[in-house]
Amino acid sequence: MCSKMSEHAARNISHTDFILSGFSGSREWKQLLFIPFFLLFVMSITANSMIIFIILSHRALHSPMYLLICVMAFVDLVIPIFFVPNMLFNLLFNWNHISLMGCLVQMFCIHFFASVQTTILLWMALDRFYAICTPLHYNEHMRISAFLKFVIIPMLRNAVFISAIVGLARSLSYCQSNEIKHCFCEHMALVTLACGPIYVNSVVGLCGVFFISTADILLIALSYVRIFVSLFKSGKSSQKAFSTCITHIIVMFVGLIFALTSFLSYRIKNDMSSNSHMAISSMYLLVPTCLNPIIYGIRTKEIRQQVIKLTLLRAWVRRTCPAETP
């Protein structure tokens, strides 16, 4: 009788404060793990800030393609800010407490901006499609009024799905445990702590992956196929276009594989350790923010030239400033 009453009382308790367990292991191991994540974080912040500065400060780079690269750099800049600092403090100082509201806000920001990331890649693919396949009508297609339909509909789709995922997570009671076995508030890592059924949460989360990331990447691949066909028919020299498109497709599909592995590992029984799962989840969010400035920014001739000029200018200033001091 007493055990039933205590069990009933426990189920009436819903935790509002949680502990992010983070990577398991000795203190020395965590301090060692701090180094690569810190370096990736600094690389992401530095590279994306440089891309944004270069594009915004040069009017010659204010064409649609470069502005889309600038928006991509902004998204890649903010994604790590939402979870990497907390993870680094956890690794160094074991600062791992987070409120339910803070967890939900972090979840929304991470998943929403990650969804925007693939949507921007779709916009960039459309830009290349219009530039290569219909060059005479490029300016007409890329006018703000004409392109707006490709912005509003995908962004509404992203906002609706992510809001539904976070809203359903907010409606649950968390009475099993207050320890989230992750280094940030990942959706399924949180809802698996709920007392009631989470089937709806799982299905809506999976639908979000397929109707946002997977759908965007399939549309991107389709647009690149159309570009390849157009180039073949025109007989133009297109080695650069082929290498660029293939690189983009490979990077996107590798990112999608990491994302699906992370999402499905909570829904399919497996022997993956919590450390492996956290590493995959962190990599699919953090690594693209480091690679995108190189793939979509520095590999572009005009941006690369400005990066070289900025680097040479900074080197010249460092050499001349000490000489001018008395």
Side-chain angles (χ1 to χ4, degrees):
M1 183 68 144
C2 293
S3 61
K4 288 183 178 180
M5 290 178 62
S6 60
E7 181 182 351
H8 180 73
R11 284 188 171 273
N12 287 332
I13 297 173
S14 182
H15 295 290
T16 57
D17 292 294
F18 294 88
I19 297 172
L20 293 166
S21 63
F23 291 94
S24 60
S26 63
R27 183 176 179 82
E28 291 76 16
W29 161 248
K30 290 183 178 181
Q31 290 174 345
L32 187 64
L33 201 59
F34 170 88
I35 298 172
F37 281 110
F38 176 74
L39 292 177
L40 286 173
F41 179 66
V42 171
M43 178 182 174
S44 174
I45 298 298
T46 304
N48 287 296
S49 298
M50 181 182 294
I51 295 293
I52 294 171
F53 171 77
I54 287 172
I55 293 175
L56 293 182
S57 60
H58 292 82
R59 293 187 61 85
L61 299 179
H62 288 184
S63 64
M65 180 181 73
Y66 297 111
L67 292 177
L68 287 174
I69 293 175
C70 183
V71 175
M72 168 67 79
F74 172 76
V75 172
D76 288 339
L77 177 68
V78 300
I79 286 176
I81 293 175
F82 288 127
F83 76 98
V84 176
N86 286 346
M87 183 172 65
L88 295 178
F89 281 122
N90 192 349
L91 290 171
L92 274 188
F93 308 112
N94 203 32
W95 292 358
N96 53 11
H97 288 270
I98 189 168
S99 66
L100 176 60
M101 186 55 63
C103 186
L104 294 171
V105 169
Q106 186 189 58
M107 183 192 302
F108 178 86
C109 292
I110 290 174
H111 289 295
F112 178 74
F113 279 98
S115 70
V116 172
Q117 200 175 45
T118 59
T119 302
I120 294 172
L121 294 177
L122 176 61
W123 297 340
M124 293 169 70
L126 286 173
D127 174 81
R128 292 298 84 207
F129 173 78
Y130 290 135
I132 295 173
C133 298
T134 59
L136 297 178
H137 302 283
Y138 175 78
N139 291 330
E140 180 184 345
H141 288 304
M142 294 305 294
R143 287 200 321 266
I144 293 179
S145 58
F147 197 73
L148 207 57
K149 61 178 176 291
F150 297 113
V151 175
I152 295 175
I153 295 174
M155 292 299 287
L156 282 176
R157 173 203 60 182
N158 297 355
V160 167
F161 268 108
I162 304 304
S163 298
I165 289 170
V166 175
L168 288 170
R170 174 69 180 86
S171 66
L172 296 173
S173 295
Y174 299 96
C175 60
Q176 290 194 20
S177 171
N178 70 333
E179 183 180 359
I180 302 173
K181 296 187 181 301
H182 215 294
C183 51
F184 60 88
C185 284
E186 206 270 345
H187 172 234
M188 290 303 295
L190 174 65
V191 301
T192 50
L193 303 179
C195 329
I198 59 170
Y199 174 76
V200 175
N201 302 74
S202 179
V203 170
V204 172
L206 204 55
C207 287
V209 175
F210 284 106
F211 285 105
I212 297 177
S213 301
T214 307
D216 283 347
I217 290 177
L218 289 177
L219 290 172
I220 291 167
L222 179 62
S223 68
Y224 282 149
V225 169
R226 294 286 301 275
I227 289 172
F228 291 155
V229 172
S230 177
L231 291 172
F232 274 126
K233 288 182 177 179
S234 64
K236 296 178 182 177
S237 176
S238 53
Q239 183 178 356
K240 181 179 178 182
F242 277 123
S243 63
T244 301
C245 291
I246 290 172
T247 302
H248 293 181
I249 291 172
I250 291 173
V251 171
M252 286 185 294
F253 273 100
V254 169
L256 180 62
I257 289 170
F258 273 107
L260 289 176
T261 302
S262 175
F263 291 133
L264 292 175
S265 63
Y266 278 109
R267 297 165 173 88
I268 301 173
K269 291 185 178 180
N270 60 84
D271 297 325
M272 185 183 294
S273 66
S274 59
N275 279 357
S276 299
H277 187 269
M278 281 183 277
I280 292 173
S281 299
S282 302
M283 289 300 104
Y284 95 80
L285 286 174
L286 186 56
V287 170
T289 67
C290 299
L291 294 180
N292 286 341
I294 299 171
I295 296 169
Y296 300 101
I298 298 175
R299 283 191 63 186
T300 305
K301 180 182 177 182
E302 291 77 6
I303 295 178
R304 183 170 64 251
Q305 289 174 344
Q306 297 301 328
V307 170
I308 293 172
K309 287 181 182 179
L310 183 61
T311 305
L312 293 175
L313 178 63
R314 292 181 63 182
W316 179 80
V317 169
R318 287 179 180 178
R319 285 199 305 268
T320 56
C321 285
E324 293 175 359
T325 56

